[in-house]
Amino acid sequence: MSRFTLVGTALSLVLAIGSSACGRHSETAVVADHLRQLVDRPAVLDEAENRLTARCMNQAGMTYPQVPAPHDDRPMVGLLRAAAPLRAETVREHGYPDRWMTRDRIPEKGPVETHADSLPPDVRERFHHLLGGEGGNDVRVALPGNFEVAASSSGCVGGARRQLYGSVENYLTVYYLPELVQRRASAADEDPDVRLAYAAFARCMAGEGYRTATPAAAVALATTYYPGGRQRAGADEKKLALADAGCQTEARLRERLAAAVDRLARRWLADNEAAVSKAHGLLRAALVEAKTAVNRR
């Protein structure tokens, strides 16, 4: 074999490997986008489930309240959702977000529970029976990592999910797979670089006069300023929140935490691409059904 033939063969091999790597990278990027869509699940799915549930209840002679679709205001950062960063210009005027300062309050009842409580006891019992059925959580699904979830297949809620997703198993897969990877990403706090970032944050806060090792500890400290409950942010809270925002920026805490979360999410994704692709297919099919259900009068 001539030297030119050897060079040509080697070049062809390099190009083939490069093409394969490029194809693999493209395929991984597509699956990553599928995961992002699952995490950022369109609100039309919840809207359609509520409408289908309401129609079922109405057909049984029961009134059903309007239920707004849940809203997750955490922004998408990479593949997952993350808390929005504190901004100095906001906390200087308003302190911490209100919801951070009322986390220990008993959650208010939603529209379904409130409506059920307004019914006479016998009607209320029938309402709950029609809504949830009587089979209990009879459908179980094992997701990656032996993460098991369950739900009922009966009642108006179960019927709505079967119609929308094709089965309650499909609903559980689409709904909980993103939750699974989001939980996996919570281990980012143990990442060595994130630990260094927290240490830098703690030193910065100590320099401002606060012994708070994490942003969560700073918020917890702020809640102690209001023994009788917080109505609006006071001067001490605003001062603390401003120091918190500044120290997070100085330590580059959010950026370093986001990078660690992305590393964990991508490792999980590499091990579970088939599960993500399957769930994304179920999501797309459910979206078609959801648009039909929402547009139907």
Side-chain angles (χ1 to χ4, degrees):
M1 185 180 291
S2 73
R3 178 169 60 87
F4 297 106
T5 303
L6 284 171
V7 169
T9 302
L11 182 58
S12 297
L13 182 59
V14 168
L15 289 172
I17 292 172
S19 175
S20 175
C22 181
R24 175 63 183 159
H25 176 75
S26 176
E27 180 183 330
T28 300
V30 168
V31 179
D33 189 55
H34 289 172
L35 176 59
R36 197 175 291 110
Q37 291 175 45
L38 285 161
V39 172
D40 194 19
R41 196 164 53 95
V44 69
L45 288 169
D46 293 298
E47 183 183 351
E49 182 180 324
N50 290 328
R51 289 203 184 191
L52 290 171
T53 300
R55 285 172 193 156
C56 172
M57 295 293 282
N58 295 160
Q59 287 166 4
M62 280 286 177
T63 56
Y64 192 76
Q66 232 181 357
V67 181
H71 175 66
D72 190 338
D73 59 0
R74 294 176 301 167
M76 292 293 296
V77 179
L79 299 177
L80 304 177
R81 291 191 180 277
L86 285 179
R87 305 207 177 275
E89 59 271 21
T90 301
V91 299
R92 185 182 288 112
E93 294 296 324
H94 305 288
Y96 287 113
D98 291 342
R99 65 185 181 282
W100 293 11
M101 299 295 290
T102 56
R103 286 179 295 180
D104 293 334
R105 182 194 297 172
I106 298 173
E108 295 180 1
K109 290 185 177 181
V112 175
E113 293 84 357
T114 301
H115 176 71
D117 288 347
S118 71
L119 301 173
D122 57 329
V123 180
R124 185 187 313 136
E125 184 178 352
R126 182 167 180 265
F127 178 90
H128 285 303
H129 177 77
L130 288 168
L131 188 64
E134 57 185 15
N137 290 337
D138 58 320
V139 178
R140 295 184 176 276
V141 171
L143 297 176
N146 295 320
F147 183 76
E148 191 173 274
V149 289
S152 172
S153 63
S154 60
C156 287
V157 171
R161 290 169 178 171
R162 291 198 312 274
Q163 180 174 339
L164 191 56
Y165 293 89
S167 71
V168 174
E169 290 90 342
N170 292 348
Y171 158 77
L172 289 168
T173 300
V174 170
Y175 193 89
Y176 284 105
L177 192 70
E179 174 67 18
L180 180 58
V181 64
Q182 197 87 44
R183 288 188 183 196
R184 177 71 185 87
S186 66
D189 277 349
E190 301 305 315
D191 181 90
D193 187 56
V194 173
R195 291 172 75 101
L196 289 173
Y198 277 130
F201 172 83
R203 288 193 299 272
C204 177
M205 290 296 283
E208 297 290 334
Y210 301 103
R211 297 183 62 183
T212 51
T214 64
V219 175
L221 174 60
T223 61
T224 67
Y225 298 159
Y226 308 99
R230 173 185 181 268
Q231 299 301 317
R232 60 177 178 226
D236 288 343
E237 179 194 332
K238 292 176 183 178
K239 182 181 176 184
L240 170 59
L242 189 59
D244 184 355
C247 287
Q248 287 192 44
T249 299
E250 181 177 312
R252 295 185 56 253
L253 179 57
R254 292 294 171 185
E255 296 93 329
R256 293 160 82 175
L257 185 58
V261 165
D262 196 61
R263 285 193 291 273
L264 285 168
R266 289 184 185 280
R267 279 182 215 145
W268 181 93
L269 181 61
D271 293 334
N272 297 285
E273 286 189 359
V276 170
S277 294
K278 174 186 174 183
H280 182 259
L282 299 176
L283 173 72
R284 291 186 62 185
L287 283 172
V288 173
E289 186 64 35
K291 289 170 184 173
T292 301
V294 167
N295 292 330
R296 187 177 133 210
R297 298 298 175 189

